[in-house]
Amino acid sequence: MESLFSKNYFQLFNFPAVYDIDRSVLTQRYRDMQGLIHPDRFVNATEKERRISMQLTALINEAYNVLKSPLARARYLLQLKGVDIDDSVTSKDIVFLTEQIELRERLEDARQGENAERALMQLASELQKRLMGLQLSLEEVFMGGSDEALVKAHRLYDEMQFISRLNDELDEIEDAFN
Amino acid sequence: MVLFQISEPGETKLQRQHHLAVGIDLGTTNSLVATVRDGHAQTMVDAQGNHHCPSVVRYFADSAPVVGQAAKDAAYQDPLNTIASAKRLLGRGVADIETTANKLPYEFSGTDCGMPFIQTVAGDISPVTVSAEILKTLMRQAEADLGGELDGVVITVPAYFDDAQRQATKDAARLAGLKVLRLLNEPTAAAVAYGLDSGSEGVHVVYDFGGGTFDVSILRFSRGVFEVMATAGDSALGGDDVDRVLAEWMMAEAGLSGEIEHSHLRRVIGEANRAKEALTTADSVSLSIETTEGSLWQSTLSRVNFEALIEPLILRTLRPCRRALRDAGLAVGDIQDVVMVGGSTRIPRVRECVAEFFEREPMVNIDPDKVVAVGAAIQADILVGNKPGDEMLLLDVIPLSLGLETMGGLIEKLVPRNTTIPVVRAQEFTTFKDGQTAMSIHVLQGERELVTDSRSLARFELRGIPPMNAGAARIRVTFQVDADGLLSVSAKELTSGVESSIEIRPSYGLTDGEVEKMLADSLLYAEDDVKKRRLHEQLVDSARLIEAVEAALKMDADGMLTNKECVTIKAALVALKEKQQGEDIALIKAAHDKLERATSDFAARRMDIHINEALSGKLLDQIVD
């Protein structure tokens, strides 16, 4: 049997390496695994066992975090399929670049506008919808296994990453309002 | 070998034996100890029948310190040697507490370890030692009641305690001679106390406004698993601040300046505390304090005016509530109920504000002062192994983000707040100068982006990096946060393998060596007592190891071990058993460590294989379902 530490995140949770996974099954398996390996179950064990339990739990936590996040899961799956993701390279897609600039401007306008809180909420809900849409597109694209499909998935991932970051910035701005 | 004992019940006698375990709520104002008796968790009482032990320690020049009510009663007559609210100083630096300290009636002295020591007739005392005295008093009380030495304790800490504060708490326990099963977040403990009572599935908010800290946590309880979704708070906001605001108001009204004597200030704060408590039920209260001239200032305070005075403090608790909701990705409507914890939630206006904010009446069925200790006792009972079949599991989070200083005084976050623990995260950095052979690593905790706004946990240096061009070295920094929320950091240069690691004993804490030294020349124990206790601990530990190894050999020696490995392990086993007959702690410890080392690979193999098998079994079950 293969060591748990050498399995990939999908294997750990007994899923095939696909993008579309059942969230509730994932959560249930996560809890079952925690029930077996969590350090609370090894309080009276030997030091070595306590350390392994801790490391294994950390691994399961990390795997769960990646698999439950649509963005992190896309990235992980792309890497698993051999796609090299370099965050320092900017997209060459002119349409997407133009859109990035537009969205940034909208964020600035919303922040400085008179009805800032409302405008920001509006933008936040648009971004949410956009993220949902991207997730569905990724599910579809990842179904096809061709190199072409992976290139497309990579592009969708880049887009999702940008929108997610913008969304995080929005959260931080909202934080400042509180 | 807990995991495998479950599958072979009745194999061992240690397993079935009832272990003595307690939960301790080490509070700012009061501390409590609780235990599970006949399946019921309850707080324990002292010889006088009190559930609460005031968290106050009075020091004397030539006799042992006094802890609890007697110390609290002496606070007015001997303010400088009577330490209250030491929890506020735990894991804090001198600069940290300057704002608090000039309002605390003690004389401080700076130290090398960054932690402020309090000057008393018994010498300079660290807040860790003060906390250890309180823990020891509770331990003695519990041991007298249960009729034996404790096998382990769960100690609660505010969820918003940072790494230094958690470490200081654990050091205090070590000084008191306690085996800590787990540091548990106070709101999580409260949720356990409520959750097991009502068995309710859903999302709960725990609003914990105590004597010195405020915490809010959002937890989901589902099929035996408590999952902390988010936590937020303020580790320097509590009922003490309510007293202080009220005291400052009285002093201003009475024309008293801030420059009054310590004992006088104590009396004013005491009067404020009395008034606050009276206003929980009364509509108004009469006040009287001495002026500097010795005359008496008298007045009355209505509840309405009192509420206006403290409103800003209550509003400060709602900000973290908002943030926790957002971090959990929830709206007020998703919340099933709100649990109130901590003495300050007795203030009617606090309850009103919470009800308004969460749009529902908060739950107050369990005494808000006891609920944390009760939850800790339940968890201690499970962890120590008294309920082997129990499926209850707590998944907790780290309250504050952890990161590293990068160029330009900015912070690179490695572990964001509200990440489930334990967690291991690594990040690679590189050198920025040609031929650079060392790199300093500065570990920080907090939510701000600038180093200057965050809490410095530790600095350490990775040396011996082979000279390379700028950007060629690859330095991997690994953060590891264990189930107690404690951090350790290691760094490694990947091309050469140069390694450096530290436990975070930081900026504001005691090093391992300092704790050892304090233990060694501590007045906390008589010499014999220490020896007896340590021998007992060692024997119990070793008995556990022997038993685990024997069970493991019986089960898995065939197939998992080579002959040579088997012989080595058996020899180490026999050697430890021999040493167990004697009373030499060092010899037993050495034999113990040798057996641990000999079985280390075997243990790792077994863990991996058995967990793998168990998981496959679990997963198969689900498919059958």
Side-chain angles (χ1 to χ4, degrees):
Chain A
M1 199 181 289
E2 209 181 340
S3 164
L4 287 164
F5 286 102
S6 60
K7 289 185 173 183
N8 74 40
Y9 295 171
F10 289 98
Q11 289 166 338
L12 270 177
F13 284 91
N14 209 23
F15 278 117
V18 295
Y19 186 71
D20 186 12
I21 58 174
D22 188 329
R23 247 317 266 279
S24 64
V25 174
L26 174 70
T27 301
Q28 194 47 50
R29 287 185 186 169
Y30 169 69
R31 290 190 177 146
D32 285 346
M33 291 169 97
Q34 288 279 17
L36 285 171
I37 63 171
H38 194 274
D40 279 3
R41 301 282 191 249
F42 291 87
V43 169
N44 293 310
T46 62
E47 210 182 310
K48 179 81 182 177
E49 289 171 319
R50 288 205 305 268
R51 199 163 60 236
I52 293 172
S53 146
M54 205 264 285
Q55 286 165 344
L56 203 47
T57 308
L59 175 69
I60 299 290
N61 280 336
E62 192 61 27
Y64 178 61
N65 279 334
V66 166
L67 294 191
K68 79 175 176 190
S69 148
L71 181 70
R73 187 170 70 240
R75 183 187 181 95
Y76 187 75
L77 191 56
L78 281 167
Q79 285 171 331
L80 213 57
K81 291 189 182 292
V83 178
D84 185 24
I85 298 175
D86 187 348
D87 293 321
S88 60
V89 178
T90 44
S91 169
K92 290 186 183 69
D93 184 335
I94 298 298
V95 182
F96 179 42
L97 282 175
T98 322
E99 206 209 341
Q100 287 188 21
I101 295 165
E102 275 170 17
L103 277 170
R104 286 233 154 269
E105 281 171 1
R106 276 193 58 198
L107 177 66
E108 274 313 302
D109 290 349
R111 191 219 298 255
Q112 283 157 12
E114 232 164 73
N115 235 329
E117 210 159 349
R118 209 195 147 118
L120 289 167
M121 267 170 66
Q122 166 96 26
L123 185 58
S125 103
E126 268 179 49
L127 294 181
Q128 278 306 326
K129 270 189 209 135
R130 185 80 186 272
L131 286 170
M132 289 296 289
L134 281 166
Q135 194 181 331
L136 291 175
S137 307
L138 272 166
E139 280 173 16
E140 201 176 304
V141 169
F142 267 123
M143 296 275 213
S146 67
D147 287 352
E148 241 168 86
L150 284 181
V151 171
K152 210 169 169 195
H154 191 174
R155 208 183 50 73
L156 285 167
Y157 164 78
D158 282 342
E159 203 173 324
M160 194 186 231
Q161 169 154 278
F162 175 76
I163 305 285
S164 296
R165 281 195 187 146
L166 209 62
N167 205 33
D168 291 346
E169 278 176 47
L170 260 179
D171 279 351
E172 269 166 38
I173 294 167
E174 265 178 57
D175 245 4
F177 271 102
N178 282 333
Chain B
M1 309 248 167
V2 187
L3 181 70
F4 319 122
Q5 281 178 347
I6 293 169
S7 55
E8 302 214 341
E11 275 260 325
T12 62
K13 53 182 192 303
L14 265 177
Q15 176 89 13
R16 276 173 299 157
Q17 193 186 338
H18 184 81
H19 297 293
L20 301 183
V22 297
I24 294 179
D25 173 3
L26 182 62
T28 309
T29 335
N30 290 298
S31 295
L32 290 94
V33 55
T35 194
V36 174
R37 253 191 269 250
D38 309 320
H40 291 285
Q42 52 197 210
T43 52
M44 306 170 87
V45 294
D46 64 12
Q48 287 74 45
N50 299 309
H51 292 266
H52 304 269
C53 169
S55 303
V56 185
V57 181
R58 183 183 180 193
Y59 286 90
F60 297 92
D62 44 17
S63 60
V66 167
V67 179
Q69 193 60 46
K72 189 182 176 184
D73 293 341
Y76 301 124
Q77 66 191 75
D78 190 17
L80 290 180
N81 300 308
T82 308
I83 318 301
S85 299
K87 187 177 176 181
R88 291 198 146 198
L89 306 173
L90 273 183
R92 297 255 144 199
V94 177
D96 270 336
I97 56 150
E98 231 148 46
T99 41
T100 320
N102 58 26
K103 287 168 183 126
L104 285 174
Y106 314 119
E107 303 286 349
F108 290 98
S109 59
T111 55
D112 303 338
C113 64
M115 213 194 292
F117 276 49
I118 303 154
Q119 295 174 14
T120 72
V121 286
D124 290 356
I125 304 289
S126 94
V128 173
T129 313
V130 178
S131 301
E133 287 293 348
I134 297 164
L135 288 172
K136 225 183 110 201
T137 301
L138 296 172
M139 172 181 87
R140 282 210 201 101
Q141 180 191 321
E143 289 185 341
D145 190 334
L146 296 171
E149 280 185 18
L150 296 179
D151 292 296
V153 298
V154 167
I155 299 177
T156 59
V157 292
Y160 225 55
F161 254 23
D162 65 28
D163 188 75
Q165 292 167 304
R166 280 167 203 267
Q167 192 62 61
T169 306
K170 218 172 172 183
D171 288 343
R174 214 167 126 207
L175 277 181
L178 287 166
K179 181 186 176 190
V180 180
L181 300 166
R182 185 71 72 234
L183 294 181
L184 183 63
N185 288 332
E186 287 163 10
T188 314
V192 170
Y194 267 97
L196 293 187
D197 266 23
S198 58
S200 50
E201 304 250 316
V203 179
H204 308 256
V205 168
V206 181
Y207 179 98
D208 181 355
F209 198 6
T213 54
F214 171 73
D215 276 322
V216 59
S217 288
I218 300 179
L219 300 98
R220 196 207 323 259
F221 184 42
S222 167
R223 298 212 258 172
V225 179
F226 269 106
E227 207 171 333
V228 180
M229 302 174 75
T231 190
D234 189 333
S235 64
L237 172 65
D240 286 1
D241 295 284
V242 172
D243 296 350
R244 213 196 59 232
V245 163
L246 189 48
E248 279 169 3
W249 175 81
M250 286 195 292
M251 281 163 66
E253 291 286 304
L256 284 169
S257 76
E259 300 290 310
I260 60 173
E261 276 179 37
H262 286 313
S263 56
H264 193 177
L265 181 58
R266 282 271 184 153
R267 284 195 297 275
V268 178
I269 291 175
E271 176 72 353
N273 182 271
R274 185 191 63 81
K276 171 182 80 176
E277 283 174 8
L279 286 171
T280 300
T281 46
D283 288 327
S284 73
V285 64
S286 51
L287 304 168
S288 86
I289 55 172
E290 297 157 46
T291 62
T292 353
E293 295 80 41
S295 62
L296 218 53
W297 171 86
Q298 285 177 308
S299 182
T300 49
L301 176 66
S302 69
R303 191 194 282 180
V304 178
N305 288 341
F306 168 67
E307 287 172 353
L309 274 174
I310 64 162
E311 188 91 359
L313 293 177
I314 303 177
L315 292 180
R316 259 174 74 190
T317 69
L318 297 181
R319 262 178 256 156
C321 292
R322 231 172 269 130
R323 204 174 71 193
L325 274 174
R326 232 215 34 227
D327 279 0
L330 295 173
V332 161
D334 299 320
I335 305 301
Q336 188 169 318
D337 50 54
V338 182
V339 170
M340 297 295 257
V341 182
S344 303
T345 62
R346 290 183 197 282
I347 300 172
R349 184 65 192 145
V350 170
R351 291 187 181 180
E352 281 169 28
C353 287
V354 171
E356 256 169 56
F357 182 86
F358 287 104
E359 298 168 13
R360 73 202 60 231
E361 282 307 315
M363 305 213 312
V364 289
N365 346 1
I366 306 184
D367 184 334
D369 291 320
K370 291 182 185 162
V371 63
V372 168
V374 164
I378 293 170
Q379 184 67 0
D381 194 47
I382 294 171
L383 291 182
V384 83
N386 284 339
K387 298 172 85 178
D390 200 288
E391 294 278 295
M392 208 268 281
L393 187 67
L394 283 181
L395 304 178
D396 224 323
V397 298
I398 181 168
L400 297 156
S401 304
L402 289 166
L404 289 169
E405 177 171 357
T406 58
M407 294 225 280
L410 292 175
I411 299 172
E412 168 102 26
K413 280 181 190 164
L414 257 70
V415 188
R417 68 167 187 251
N418 290 325
T419 300
T420 306
I421 51 172
V423 59
V424 177
R425 288 272 163 90
Q427 179 117 339
E428 277 182 32
F429 294 86
T430 189
T431 47
F432 58 95
K433 272 188 210 146
D434 284 344
Q436 186 177 339
T437 57
M439 187 178 197
S440 83
I441 289 163
H442 187 193
V443 185
L444 297 127
Q445 187 160 33
E447 303 316 313
R448 310 290 291 277
E449 281 174 21
L450 294 175
V451 169
T452 46
D453 296 334
S454 301
R455 190 152 162 68
S456 163
L457 289 182
R459 288 171 193 275
F460 69 108
E461 214 161 78
L462 179 71
R463 289 199 193 89
I465 303 170
M468 282 181 257
N469 290 338
R474 286 167 56 217
I475 293 135
R476 180 194 285 270
V477 179
T478 306
F479 277 38
Q480 178 180 294
V481 182
D482 68 14
D484 290 323
L486 293 174
L487 171 72
S488 56
V489 181
S490 60
K492 188 176 188 178
E493 202 288 304
L494 296 176
T495 57
S496 66
V498 170
E499 209 158 334
S500 168
S501 77
I502 44 155
E503 262 184 56
I504 294 298
R505 283 313 174 100
S507 304
Y508 316 103
L510 306 167
T511 63
D512 256 345
E514 281 167 330
V515 175
E516 279 299 324
K517 187 171 178 306
M518 285 168 91
L519 261 177
D521 52 38
S522 168
L523 297 170
L524 287 171
Y525 283 119
E527 177 73 9
D528 284 353
D529 200 16
V530 183
K531 272 211 180 127
K532 223 181 89 207
R533 217 167 235 288
R534 288 200 160 175
L535 179 64
H536 174 80
E537 274 168 27
Q538 187 59 54
L539 287 173
V540 169
D541 266 7
S542 294
R544 210 175 257 150
L545 179 67
I546 290 170
E547 198 176 350
V549 172
E550 283 180 337
L553 283 174
K554 198 171 153 197
M555 210 170 163
D556 293 321
D558 299 335
M560 277 195 226
L561 287 177
T562 63
N563 266 342
K564 197 182 157 205
E565 284 173 321
C566 204
V567 168
T568 315
I569 291 172
K570 280 183 176 159
L573 192 62
V574 171
L576 177 58
K577 278 183 173 172
E578 237 174 69
K579 296 290 178 284
Q580 283 274 77
Q581 305 305 317
E583 290 197 343
D584 190 326
I585 301 174
L587 282 179
I588 302 171
K589 179 87 172 69
H592 179 107
D593 290 348
K594 199 166 178 196
L595 181 58
E596 279 243 16
R597 275 197 306 277
T599 53
S600 174
D601 284 349
F602 182 38
R605 244 172 276 160
R606 296 187 73 236
M607 283 276 288
D608 209 26
I609 289 171
H610 285 287
I611 289 176
N612 233 326
E613 277 171 6
L615 288 176
S616 315
K618 271 259 182 199
L619 297 173
L620 278 177
D621 286 351
Q622 280 168 11
I623 295 164
V624 175
D625 284 347

